[in-house]
């Protein structure tokens, strides 16, 4: 087995067929110690939390041994984040890397069934591409509802088991009791595809990441971790702020964003994280408060309303932000709204069964920090991005909430 050049990234294949995949990346052969490979490479998950992959593989294998139960592996390609397209692009360009990662992970933890969860629009095509694979156990492709919470791992396990995609709380964790009550390894599809490259000897695979870039257009590219953000996403003078991570992420002022290193430590130093890999450049002729209010309205409407923070907190925060996004109003009333948002935000953190409230108020707090000038303009009766300026960030209509 010869290692492919480091330039053979996740999106290198010209089409999703098995023949092109093998011609691009070469065959996967021989035994590998996947846990050791992931550990040595420092691979962390690409599903949002950046959890070390080797640690998760070990936890599932240990739980299976301790309970004498055969585990399940689920590839998370549901991508509920409306601004992220990296997983959809990966599945449409390189489904066989994901499939190989799934089987490698299954072998590493001793699993006998493998599931690939994808958005409802992708299931048929992905299933067709994978149909001819010479695997011993077939991959079960499961379409999951395309809404924000569906990709949260406990919600995903519920959907794979044929139930509603509802987060159910972290205890017991899915690596102990997941699909059919069995220890379950849930990895993002990009994480699994990176395992397939690592298994081929491409050691640089853990040091790159897929990002969805929003500028005047939207695209998905693979970039080196540690790159200067301004070299990955053009941040010209006409950009005022960058949304980093996605709708559970953070706004950064353009000047800060341009020079930050795109990795865990670099982003943490400015209070951000890579999250779902979204980078969105907000131009100076748009209103960041209005954009955030639209997103937070969507996030509040997307919650299951199962826990106090989502039932009581997020709708109030969304409503207050909606009022602050409009120019005008009495200064005292606006000041009270700002205090309310800060107080309610403090009350929801750490109180939900999943991280949805925490992620939502992280975005809100960053908007209030970064768009102070815009809030002052609204208090003075003026808005930078008032209609007819079109909306920037994609916000779907919420149908059936979780
Ligand atoms: C509200 C919420 C939504 C999530 N949506 C996704 C998603 O769409 N896709 C995904 O891979 N992970 C999502 N996650 C993270 C998963 O719960 C899980 O951590 C991840 O799939 C693990 O994969 P990784 O170890 O490869 O990062 C979400 C988490 C939360 C709290
Ligand atoms: S915190 Fe919100 S989104 Fe998470 S499970 Fe509870 S109600 Fe649902």
């Amino acid at each position: 087995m010869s290692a492919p050049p480091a330039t053979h990234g996740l999106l290198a294949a010209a089409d999703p067929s098995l023949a092109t995949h093998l011609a691009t990346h070469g065959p996967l052969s021989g035994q590998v110690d996947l846990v050791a490979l992931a550990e040595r490479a420092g691979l962390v998950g690409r599903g949002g939390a950046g959890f070390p992959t080797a640690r998760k593989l070990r936890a599932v294998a240990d739980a299976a041994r301790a309970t004498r139960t055969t585990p399940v592996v689920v590839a998370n390609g549901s991508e509920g984040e409306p601004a992220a397209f990296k997983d959809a692009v990966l599945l449409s360009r390189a489904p066989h890397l994901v499939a190989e990662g799934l089987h490698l992970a299954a072998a590493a933890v001793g699993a006998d069934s493998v599931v690939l969860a994808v958005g409802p629009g992708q299931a048929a095509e992905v299933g067709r591409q994978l149909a001819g694979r010479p695997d011993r156990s077939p991959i079960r492709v499961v379409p999951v509802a395309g809404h924000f919470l569906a990709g949260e791992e406990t919600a995903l396990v519920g959907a794979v088991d044929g139930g509603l995609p509802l987060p159910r709380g972290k205890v017991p964790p899915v690596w102990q009791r997941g699909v059919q009550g069995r220890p379950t390894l849930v990895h993002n599809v990009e994480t699994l595809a990176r395992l397939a490259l690592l298994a081929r000897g491409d050691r640089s695979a853990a040091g790159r990441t897929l990002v969805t870039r929003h500028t005047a257009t939207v695209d998905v590219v693979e970039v080196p971790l540690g790159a200067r953000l301004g070299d990955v996403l053009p941040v010209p003078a006409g950009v005022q702020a960058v949304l980093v991570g996605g709708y559970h992420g953070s706004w950064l002022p353009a000047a800060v964003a341009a020079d930050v290193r795109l990795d865990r430590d670099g982003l943490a130093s400015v209070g951000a994280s890579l999250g779902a890999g979204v980078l969105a450049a907000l131009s100076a002729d748009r209103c960041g408060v209005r954009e955030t209010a639209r997103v937070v309205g969507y996030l509040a409407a997307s919650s299951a309303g199962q826990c106090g923070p989502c039932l009581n907190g997020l709708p109030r925060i969304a409503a207050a932000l909606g009022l602050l996004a409009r120019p005008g109003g009495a200064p005292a009333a606006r000041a009270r709204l700002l205090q309310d948002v800060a107080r309610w935000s403090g009350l929801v953190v750490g109180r939900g069964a999943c991280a949805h409230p925490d992620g939502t108020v992280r975005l809100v707090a960053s908007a209030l920090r970064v768009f102070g000038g815009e809030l002052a303009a609204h208090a003075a009766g003026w808005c930078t991005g008032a209609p007819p300026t079109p909306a920037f960030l994609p916000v779907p209509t919420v149908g059936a909430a979780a």
Side-chain angles (χ1 to χ4, degrees):
M1 177 176 71
S2 62
T7 48
H8 275 206
L10 292 184
L11 307 179
D15 67 65
S17 69
L18 184 57
T20 303
H21 163 74
L22 292 174
T24 307
H25 297 287
L28 193 58
S29 58
Q31 292 278 325
V32 291
D33 182 342
L34 200 69
V35 181
L37 270 179
E39 184 139 64
R40 267 202 304 273
L43 181 65
V44 300
R46 299 300 200 266
F51 193 82
T53 303
R55 232 197 286 167
K56 207 189 265 193
L57 287 162
R58 257 193 217 109
V60 173
D62 290 349
R65 252 191 310 275
T67 56
R68 295 169 190 264
T69 321
T70 309
V72 177
V73 182
V74 179
N76 192 347
S78 55
E79 198 159 57
E81 162 76 56
F85 301 100
K86 73 173 183 79
D87 295 340
V89 167
L90 176 65
L91 284 165
S92 68
R93 297 268 293 275
H96 294 286
L97 278 178
V98 176
E100 287 170 350
L102 249 176
H103 285 295
L104 285 163
V109 301
D112 65 352
S113 43
V114 281
V115 178
L116 171 54
V118 300
Q122 271 199 303
E125 178 56 20
V126 169
R128 201 174 65 79
Q129 290 299 340
L130 299 184
R133 288 188 56 79
D135 301 317
R136 235 187 274 159
S137 52
I139 294 173
R140 181 156 76 96
V141 179
V142 175
V144 293
H147 68 69
F148 196 83
L149 296 178
E152 192 276 337
E153 61 189 8
T154 64
L156 196 68
V157 161
V160 169
D161 273 342
L164 286 172
L166 284 172
R168 61 146 163 80
K170 294 282 183 198
V171 183
V174 297
W175 52 267
Q176 281 180 341
R177 275 180 69 81
V179 173
Q180 299 166 349
R182 295 152 71 182
T184 299
L185 178 74
V186 178
H187 269 313
N188 174 261
V189 286
E190 181 186 345
T191 313
L192 292 166
R194 294 202 175 279
L195 285 174
L197 291 187
L198 281 176
R200 285 181 164 81
D202 179 359
R203 297 215 181 131
S204 68
R208 304 190 300 267
T209 201
L210 294 177
V211 293
T212 308
R213 301 187 297 188
H214 295 249
T215 51
T217 56
V218 182
D219 64 1
V220 172
V221 287
E222 185 170 20
V223 300
L225 285 169
R228 185 177 161 272
L229 192 149
D231 292 335
V232 169
L233 178 86
V235 187
V239 169
Q240 57 167 316
V242 176
L243 176 64
V244 179
Y247 293 174
H248 276 177
S250 306
W251 288 104
L252 296 177
V256 173
D259 282 330
V260 79
R261 296 278 149 202
L262 200 66
D263 58 21
R264 176 187 284 252
D265 291 347
L267 291 170
S269 74
V270 292
S273 68
L274 198 57
V278 170
L279 298 175
L282 186 77
S283 57
D285 59 350
R286 297 179 190 277
C287 172
V289 184
R290 199 166 148 241
E291 289 294 332
T292 308
R294 290 175 55 246
V295 169
V296 172
Y298 161 75
L299 293 175
S302 297
S303 95
Q306 300 181 121
C307 315
C310 285
L311 198 60
N312 303 312
L314 298 192
R316 288 189 178 147
I317 292 168
L321 213 56
L323 291 171
L324 288 164
R326 291 190 209 146
R334 295 188 69 90
R336 239 187 344 266
L337 284 171
L338 280 170
Q339 282 169 4
D340 286 344
V341 169
R343 187 163 49 85
W344 291 327
S345 295
L347 288 174
V348 304
V349 171
R351 300 260 170 82
C354 79
H356 184 54
D358 305 51
T360 304
V361 300
R362 187 181 313 129
L363 177 73
V364 172
S366 73
L368 298 183
R369 274 196 308 273
V370 171
F371 302 122
E374 186 68 39
L375 284 164
H378 289 195
W382 185 77
C383 173
T384 308
T389 308
F392 174 54
L393 296 169
V395 172
T397 308
V398 179

